C-alpha cells in the first residue's frame, strides 16, 4: 500500500486477493461531493444538444452555466442521458426534485476482482472444423475491456496478419503518459482511452507513488487489464512458460478480434474504479460501436438494485444490451458461501470460475521415504534432505503456535529447516503471513496444510510454499512427532495435463442463488479461472518475461468474452440473450471421463446450478445450439415490473412509457434458459418460448430429469418446427409430491433431436411452512 493514508471521507475495506486471485474489482463506499444525475434514455440523438441540456439543468440549481461547466465531471450523452457533477448535498437534493430526473446518487468506488485453457474448452487450433475456424478467429469483432489498461508492447497484442480496422468502429486512441497513440495502437488495439475524473474527485491524493506506480494514460501499471485483454483477444504467442511450468502457446479466445481498451480502474489498493468513470466508459463504448463488453469488476454485498446507478454496471449494461452489445461480467470471488454472486441482472452474462484438467503436483519426500504430492508453483533451487519442524505450542491451546496465520517461531529451531503449519482460515493472507514469518526466522521452505483449493500463488524469491490438505498435513505432523530428527526433501513442481485431473468449480467462485432475485439463476456459465497464464504489465510483481499466472472470476470472464466474440462473428444477428442461451443450454456438466463435475468447498461436493449455472462453457456446442431462449426489451420490462420497481424508473431506464400491471408479474415467466423456483408451495405452471436457429424442419422431444420430490410435466412435450413455425411456447408444471420444507433440489429439462440436446437447469425449493404462515 502507499505511504499516504486514504482521505477520511473514503471508507475502505481491505482488498482481499481472494485465494491468490487476480483482484476482481469489489465496491467501496465513499461520501463524496461527486454525484451521478441519471436521466434515463436520451431524448434526442444530437450529443451536443444532450450535453447542453445537462449544463442547462445543472445551471438551474447552481446559478449559471459558467459555474455548471466548472462543476461538471462527465456528460453521458451516447448510450443514455445523465451527468456526473460536484454537488453539495442540498444541490443534489434540489436536482433530484426536478422534472425528468430519475435519480441523483453519490459516486462510489469499485475494486478489481492462460496456455491450456483453450484446448481444455475444445478450441485447439489443430482441429479445422469448429467454432475457432468457422468464426475466422473472431476477425472483425470488437471486444471492449473495462479494466486497468494495457501494456501495448506485449507480443500478445501484435497485429501481424490482421486486416483493416472494422468499418463500424467509431472510437479513438488517445495518447497520454508513456502511451503514444500513433505507435501503441494498431490493428489489434484499435482504441484506448482512460477515465479518471470520478476517481480523482473521490481519492483526492497523488497517484503514481513508489508503492503504487500509475500512468495517466491507457498504459497498465497493475497487470490485471493486460491479463484479461490478452485472455479475451490476444494473438498467438508460442513457447511461453512461467518459471518453466505450463509451457505452451498463449492466446486469447478470439485471436483475430480487435480490442478497445477503456481504463476505468486505477492502481491504488490493488485497483479502484469509480461508478462515474464506469458509466462514462459505457456511454463511450456504446457510441464507439463495440460488439462485446468484458468487465472483471464487482462490488461488495449487499447488492444495489438493478436501477441504482451506484452499481454503475447494471445500468450501463442495460443500455449496452438494448443496443445489441453482450456484456460479460464476473460472478465475484466470495465463494464458496451461498448467495454471494454479483452482477445478477438478467441482461448480464455472469461467469463463475473453474479449474481445468491441469495440475502442478509437487513431491514432498519424508525421511522415512514416504512421498506425498502437494500443489505449488516451485521451480527454485532444489535442496536435498533438510530438517523439518512443526512449532509445537504449550498451555491450554497447544496447536495455536502452528497456525499459519499466527505462527510463533523460535529462530534457533527453525533456521535452515522446512516448517509445517496448519491454516485455519481461508484465503491467501495466512499463506503470505506464514511465508514471511518463516523466511524472517531463517527457514528455507513451508508446507501449508489447508482446505484444498487449486488456486495457487508462488511465494516470492523462489521460496517453496507447498499446499497439502489436512489429511496429508496430519500424516506429515505424525511423522515429525515420531522421530527425533525429522527430515524432508521438496521437489520441483511439474505440469500434469489430461484425464487424471478433473475440472472443478473453484473454491473462491461466488455462488448463487442471487440475493436480489433468486428466481434469476446466477451465475449463468463457468469458465477456467484458476492458474491462468496470460500477458501482464512489466510492472506486475509476478511477471516472468511479460507473463503471469493469476486466478479469479476476473480470469474466467475474458474466456467467455472471447467465446462470445467467436459466436458474434458466426451469428452477427443473434441478440445478447440468444448468445447467453446458446452458452447455457450447451454447457458441460460432466468432466472428460463422464463423471459429474464437483465444486470445491468445505467439503467438496457435487456441483449444482448455483455453483456453475448451465455448466462449463462449450464453445463448439454453443455455435450450433438448435434452439435458443431469446429475450428482448419486453422480457426485461417484465423482470423490472416483477421486481416492483416504479413505472417512472422503468420508463426512464428503457426509454419508453411503461405501466406495470396492477397484479404483480411473476419472475418465473421471464424467458430465461433456466427454471428456478425459490418457494414452491404446492404446484406452479410457467411458460417458456424457444426459437429455432437450427435446421428449419426439426422435431424436438422433452426429456425431463425432475428434482427429487417433484413431478414435472411439459405441454406440449413435442415441438415441431418448419419454415413457417420458428417460435413455439410451452408450459412447464412443477408439483411437490410431499408437503415438507426442503432445501433446493436440482434437475433438468432437455429438448432433444438427432443433432441437438438443448438443456436448461431446474432448481426447486419447497416452502410449506411459509405457505402456512401466509395463510394464517
Amino acid at each position: 500500500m502507499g505511504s499516504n493514508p486514504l482521505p477520511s471521507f473514503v471508507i475502505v475495506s481491505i482488498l482481499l486477493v481472494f485465494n491468490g486471485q487476480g483482484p476482481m474489482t469489489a465496491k467501496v463506499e465513499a461520501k463524496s461531493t461527486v454525484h451521478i444525475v441519471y436521466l434515463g434514455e436520451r431524448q434526442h440523438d444530437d450529443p451536443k444538444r444532450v450535453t447542453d441540456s445537462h449544463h442547462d439543468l445543472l445551471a438551474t440549481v447552481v446559478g449559471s452555466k459558467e459555474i455548471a461547466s466548472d462543476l461538471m465531471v462527465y456528460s453521458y450523452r451516447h448510450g443514455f442521458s445523465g451527468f456526473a457533477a460536484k454537488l453539495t448535498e442540498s444541490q443534489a437534493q434540489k436536482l433530484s426534485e426536478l422534472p425528468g430526473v430519475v435519480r441523483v446518487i453519490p459516486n462510489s468506488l469499485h475494486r478489481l476482482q492462460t496456455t491450456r485453457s483453450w484446448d481444455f474448452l475444445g478450441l485447439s487450433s489443430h482441429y479445422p472444423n469448429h467454432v475457432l475456424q468457422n468464426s475466422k478467429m473472431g476477425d472483425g469483432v470488437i471486444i471492449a475491456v473495462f479494466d486497468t489498461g494495457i501494456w501495448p508492447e506485449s507480443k500478445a497484442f501484435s497485429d501481424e496478419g490482421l486486416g483493416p480496422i472494422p468499418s463500424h468502429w467509431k472510437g479513438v486512441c488517445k495518447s497520454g503518459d508513456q502511451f503514444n497513440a500513433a505507435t501503441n495502437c494498431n490493428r489489434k488495439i484499435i482504441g484506448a482511452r482512460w477515465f479518471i475524473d470520478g476517481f480523482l474527485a473521490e481519492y483526492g491524493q497523488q497517484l503514481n507513488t513508489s508503492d503504487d506506480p500509475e500512468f495517466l494514460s491507457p498504459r497498465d501499471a497493475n497487470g490485471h487489464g493486460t491479463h484479461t485483454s490478452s485472455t479475451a483477444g490476444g494473438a498467438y504467442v508460442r513457447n511461453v512458460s512461467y518459471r518453466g511450468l505450463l509451457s505452451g502457446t498463449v492466446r486469447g479466445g478470439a485471436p483475430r478480434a480487435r480490442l478497445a481498451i477503456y481504463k476505468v480502474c486505477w492502481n491504488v489498493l490493488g485497483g479502484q474504479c469509480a461508478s462515474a468513470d464506469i458509466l462514462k466508459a459505457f456511454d463511450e463504448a456504446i457510441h464507439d460501436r463495440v460488439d462485446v463488453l468484458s468487465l472483471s469488476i464487482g462490488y461488495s454485498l449487499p447488492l444495489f438494485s438493478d436501477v441504482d446507478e451506484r452499481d454503475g454496471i447494471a445500468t450501463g449494461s442495460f443500455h449496452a444490451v438494448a443496443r445489441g452489445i453482450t456484456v460479460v461480467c464476473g460472478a465475484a470471488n466470495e465463494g464458496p458461501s451461498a448467495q454471494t454472486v454479483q452482477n445478477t441482472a438478467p441482461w448480464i452474462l455472469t461467469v463463475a470460475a473453474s479449474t481445468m484438467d491441469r495440475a502442478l503436483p509437487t513431491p514432498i519426500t519424508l525421511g522415512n521415504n514416504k512421498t506425498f504430492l502437494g500443489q505449488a508453483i516451485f521451480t527454485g533451487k532444489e535442496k536435498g534432505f533438510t530438517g523439518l519442524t512443526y512449532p509445537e505450542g504449550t498451555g491450554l491451546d497447544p496447536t495455536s503456535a502452528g497456525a499459519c496465520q499466527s505462527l510463533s517461531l523460535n529462530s534457533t529451531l527453525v533456521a535452515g529447516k522446512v516448517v509445517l503449519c496448519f491454516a485455519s482460515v481461508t484465503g491467501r493472507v495466512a499463506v503470505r503471513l506464514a511465508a514471511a514469518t518463516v523466511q524472517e526466522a531463517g527457514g528455507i521452505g513451508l508446507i501449508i496444510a489447508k482446505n484444498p483449493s487449486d488456486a495457487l500463488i508462488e511465494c516470492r524469491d523462489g521460496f517453496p510454499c507447498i499446499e497439502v490438505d489436512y489429511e496429508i498435513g496430519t500424516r506429515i505432523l505424525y511423522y515429525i512427532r515420531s522421530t527425533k530428527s525429522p527430515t524432508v526433501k521438496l521437489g520441483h513442481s511439474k505440469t500434469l495435463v489430461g484425464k487424471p485431473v478433473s475440472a472443478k468449480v473453484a473454491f473462491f467462485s461466488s455462488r448463487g442463488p442471487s440475493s436480489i432475485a433468486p428466481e434469476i439463476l446466477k451465475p449463468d456459465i463457468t469458465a477456467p479461472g484458476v492458474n491462468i497464464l496470460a500477458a501482464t504489465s512489466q510492472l506486475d510483481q509476478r511477471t516472468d518475461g511479460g507473463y503471469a499466472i493469476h486466478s479469479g472470476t476476473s480470469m474466467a470472464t475474458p474466456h467467455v468474452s472471447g467465446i462470445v466474440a467467436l459466436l458474434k462473428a458466426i451469428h452477427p444477428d443473434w441478440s445478447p440473450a440468444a448468445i447467453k442461451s446458446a452458452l447455457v443450454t450447451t454447457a458441460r456438466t460432466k468432466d472428460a471421463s463422464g463423471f459429474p463435475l464437483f465444486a470445491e468447498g468445505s467439503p467438496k461436493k457435487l456441483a449444482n446450478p448455483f455453483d456453475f449455472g448451465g455448466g462449463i462453457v462449450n464453445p463448439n456446442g454453443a455455435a450450433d445450439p438448435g434452439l435458443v431462449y431469446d429475450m428482448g426489451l419486453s422480457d426485461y420490462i417484465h423482470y423490472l415490473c416483477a421486481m416492483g420497481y416504479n413505472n417512472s424508473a422503468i420508463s426512464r431506464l428503457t426509454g419508453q412509457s411503461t405501466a406495470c400491471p396492477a397484479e404483480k408479474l411473476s419472475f418465473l415467466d421471464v424467458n430465461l434458459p433456466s427454471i428456478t423456483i425459490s418457494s414452491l408451495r404446492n404446484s406452479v405452471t410457467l411458460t417458456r418460448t424457444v426459437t429455432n436457429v437450427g435446421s428449419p424442419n426439426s422435431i424436438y422431444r422433452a426429456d425431463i430429469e425432475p428434482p427429487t420430490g417433484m413431478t414435472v410435466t411439459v405441454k406440449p412435450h413435442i415441438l415441431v418446427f418448419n419454415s413457417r413455425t420458428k417460435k413455439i411456447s410451452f408450459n412447464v408444471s412443477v408439483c411437490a409430491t410431499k408437503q415438507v420444507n426442503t432445501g433446493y433440489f436440482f434437475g433438468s429439462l432437455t429438448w432433444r433431436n438427432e443433432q441437438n440436446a438443448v438443456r436448461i437447469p431446474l432448481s426447486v425449493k419447497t416452502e410449506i411452512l411459509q405457505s402456512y404462515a401466509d395463510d394464517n
Side-chain angles (χ1 to χ4, degrees):
M1 295 183 184
S3 57
N4 294 329
L6 276 174
S8 59
F9 57 77
V10 179
I11 303 171
V12 178
S13 57
I14 297 173
L15 175 64
L16 302 179
V17 183
F18 308 92
N19 287 293
Q21 282 69 285
M24 175 178 172
T25 330
K27 190 167 244 189
V28 179
E29 287 305 309
K31 295 179 180 178
S32 164
T33 58
V34 175
H35 289 69
I36 297 168
V37 181
Y38 179 63
L39 306 174
E41 273 289 334
R42 296 175 304 164
Q43 299 305 305
H44 36 74
D45 295 329
D46 184 349
K48 184 178 184 304
R49 287 182 60 196
V50 175
T51 297
D52 288 344
S53 70
H54 296 162
H55 283 82
D56 292 342
L57 184 65
L58 182 54
T60 63
V61 171
V62 301
S64 72
K65 288 188 178 181
E66 290 75 16
I67 298 175
S69 181
D70 290 339
L71 296 177
M72 190 75 70
V73 177
Y74 289 121
S75 173
Y76 308 125
R77 56 186 187 168
H78 299 300
F80 48 93
S81 181
F83 57 90
K86 298 175 184 178
L87 303 171
T88 65
E89 288 301 321
S90 62
Q91 290 169 340
Q93 179 63 34
K94 290 177 182 177
L95 271 170
S96 69
E97 296 169 354
L98 294 177
V101 175
V102 178
R103 191 175 296 102
V104 179
I105 50 94
N107 189 20
S108 52
L109 298 180
H110 296 61
R111 289 186 315 213
L112 291 169
Q113 315 217 262
T114 145
T115 48
R116 171 66 185 168
S117 56
W118 298 114
D119 287 351
F120 168 71
L121 294 176
L123 288 183
S124 170
S125 58
H126 301 299
Y127 300 102
N129 296 316
H130 59 45
V131 64
L132 191 63
Q133 275 65 39
N134 295 340
S135 66
K136 298 181 181 178
M137 302 189 189
D139 198 4
V141 177
I142 302 170
I143 303 174
V145 182
F146 288 14
D147 215 295
T148 62
I150 197 163
W151 196 268
E153 290 83 5
S154 173
K155 292 182 180 178
F157 307 120
S158 168
D159 64 356
E160 182 179 352
L162 293 180
I165 292 173
S167 59
H168 66 280
W169 170 246
K170 304 301 180 185
V172 298
C173 187
K174 293 182 65 176
S175 295
D177 186 11
Q178 297 191 41
F179 190 94
N180 186 327
T183 57
N184 292 139
C185 282
N186 55 19
R187 289 169 298 172
K188 168 61 75 174
I189 305 172
I190 63 172
R193 59 172 82 185
W194 70 99
F195 304 88
I196 194 171
D197 292 349
F199 174 74
L200 287 181
E202 306 295 348
Y203 188 51
Q205 294 192 43
Q206 180 183 355
L207 289 180
N208 192 24
T209 66
S210 57
D211 290 330
D212 293 317
E214 187 51 279
F215 306 97
L216 287 176
S217 75
R219 184 169 292 278
D220 183 9
N222 180 285
H224 192 271
T226 302
H227 201 280
T228 55
S229 297
S230 64
T231 301
Y236 283 87
V237 185
R238 306 187 188 282
N239 301 317
V240 174
S241 67
Y242 186 77
R243 315 288 191 218
L245 298 170
L246 314 179
S247 300
T249 296
V250 168
R251 67 172 176 87
R256 296 181 66 85
R258 315 308 171 93
L259 295 171
I261 305 303
Y262 299 80
K263 183 176 179 179
V264 297
C265 302
W266 298 89
N267 196 32
V268 176
L269 297 177
Q272 302 287 331
C273 335
S275 292
D277 297 332
I278 293 171
L279 278 169
K280 184 58 177 173
F282 269 112
D283 186 43
E284 295 297 336
I286 291 169
H287 167 267
D288 296 344
R289 296 185 62 186
V290 304
D291 300 301
V292 185
L293 269 163
S294 185
L295 291 84
S296 294
I297 300 174
Y299 39 93
S300 299
L301 299 171
L303 305 181
F304 292 111
S305 77
D306 303 293
V307 295
D308 191 327
E309 291 75 32
R310 282 175 290 182
D311 177 345
I313 296 174
T315 302
S317 63
F318 180 90
H319 292 288
V321 168
R323 289 160 175 80
I325 303 169
T326 298
V327 180
V328 188
C329 296
N333 302 327
E334 303 286 352
S337 298
Q339 297 184 319
T340 54
V341 64
Q342 300 176 13
N343 294 313
T344 58
W347 48 84
I348 293 174
L349 180 49
T350 309
V351 186
S354 74
T355 67
M356 49 186 154
D357 58 346
R358 183 175 70 188
L360 296 168
T362 307
I364 302 169
T365 303
L366 305 180
N368 59 7
N369 286 325
K370 289 187 177 179
T371 298
F372 299 100
L373 289 178
Q375 291 280 314
I377 303 171
F378 173 50
T379 59
K381 185 178 179 181
E382 269 192 359
K383 295 180 174 64
F385 279 95
T386 58
L388 174 63
T389 186
Y390 170 76
E392 299 277 8
T394 58
L396 296 177
D397 190 6
T399 63
S400 61
C404 296
Q405 64 273 16
S406 56
L407 279 179
S408 178
L409 300 177
N410 183 324
S411 298
T412 303
L413 298 178
V414 170
K417 295 181 180 179
V418 174
V419 176
L420 170 70
C421 71
F422 285 74
S424 58
V425 296
T426 59
R428 305 302 304 174
V429 175
V431 176
R432 288 200 177 91
L433 289 174
T437 302
V438 171
Q439 285 182 284
E440 185 177 350
I444 62 169
L446 178 65
I447 300 172
I448 310 104
K450 60 185 287 292
N451 194 6
S453 171
D454 287 333
L456 300 172
I457 182 172
E458 64 171 345
C459 290
R460 294 184 178 180
D461 304 319
F463 188 76
C465 297
I466 304 177
E467 299 181 13
V468 298
D469 63 23
Y470 289 127
E471 178 186 351
I472 292 176
T474 302
R475 293 171 70 179
I476 295 173
L477 176 60
Y478 287 176
Y479 161 70
I480 292 173
R481 289 173 172 171
S482 72
T483 182
K484 186 176 182 181
S485 300
T487 58
V488 67
K489 181 173 69 173
L490 306 180
H492 279 157
S493 304
K494 307 292 183 184
T495 304
L496 178 63
V497 172
K499 286 187 177 181
V501 185
S502 179
K504 302 175 288 293
V505 177
F507 183 92
F508 58 79
S509 188
S510 287
R511 313 297 166 91
S514 163
S515 59
I516 292 181
E519 291 81 5
I520 308 300
L521 178 64
K522 293 288 176 174
D524 295 300
I525 199 69
T526 301
V530 175
N531 303 330
I532 302 301
L533 179 62
T536 191
S537 166
Q538 291 292 350
L539 300 184
D540 187 343
Q541 294 182 351
R542 302 182 211 171
T543 185
D544 178 25
Y547 299 87
I549 294 173
H550 290 296
S551 297
T553 54
S554 279
M555 285 64 246
T557 299
H559 277 84
V560 173
S561 301
I563 293 166
V564 169
L566 301 181
L567 297 179
K568 194 76 175 176
I570 297 173
H571 304 290
D573 57 334
W574 279 10
S575 70
I579 290 174
K580 178 197 287 191
S581 174
L583 293 170
V584 172
T585 61
T586 60
R588 294 189 291 112
T589 60
K590 297 181 179 180
D591 66 16
S593 299
F595 291 102
L597 292 173
F598 275 77
E600 292 180 339
S602 301
K604 186 188 301 182
K605 65 179 184 68
L606 284 173
N608 64 54
F610 295 141
D611 301 317
F612 59 30
I616 293 180
V617 64
N618 173 13
N620 292 309
D624 182 21
L627 306 175
V628 295
Y629 294 76
D630 205 357
M631 290 194 291
L633 187 58
S634 61
D635 298 276
Y636 300 133
I637 291 174
H638 182 117
Y639 163 78
L640 294 167
C641 288
M643 285 294 294
Y645 300 137
N646 67 62
N647 291 337
S648 175
I650 298 173
S651 298
R652 281 291 187 180
L653 179 69
T654 60
Q656 64 182 48
S657 179
T658 299
C660 296
E663 184 176 345
K664 187 176 179 181
L665 296 175
S666 170
F667 291 107
L668 298 180
D669 288 323
V670 179
N671 201 44
L672 297 165
S674 60
I675 295 173
T676 306
I677 304 172
S678 64
S679 182
L680 178 66
R681 298 180 179 182
N682 290 296
S683 63
V684 67
T685 298
L686 53 96
T687 302
R688 288 291 184 272
T689 300
V690 287
T691 302
N692 183 21
V693 294
S695 174
N697 298 306
S698 302
I699 299 175
Y700 287 85
R701 289 175 170 80
D703 181 2
I704 302 168
E705 292 184 16
T708 300
M710 316 287 167
T711 59
V712 179
T713 57
V714 177
K715 294 182 180 180
H717 69 280
I718 297 177
L719 306 180
V720 180
F721 296 93
N722 54 44
S723 58
R724 294 186 302 276
T725 304
K726 297 183 179 180
K727 289 187 177 185
I728 298 178
S729 296
F730 58 91
N731 293 327
V732 180
S733 298
V734 182
C735 180
T737 59
K738 294 185 178 180
Q739 300 292 299
V740 295
N741 268 28
T742 69
Y744 279 96
F745 288 105
F746 305 97
S748 64
L749 164 62
T750 306
W751 290 106
R752 297 184 185 274
N753 66 9
E754 294 179 356
Q755 289 78 37
N756 298 99
V758 188
R759 179 187 181 277
I760 63 171
L762 307 180
S763 310
V764 184
K765 180 176 71 171
T766 59
E767 288 281 6
I768 305 304
L769 289 181
Q770 182 62 47
S771 175
Y772 175 82
D774 292 345
D775 292 341
N776 290 271

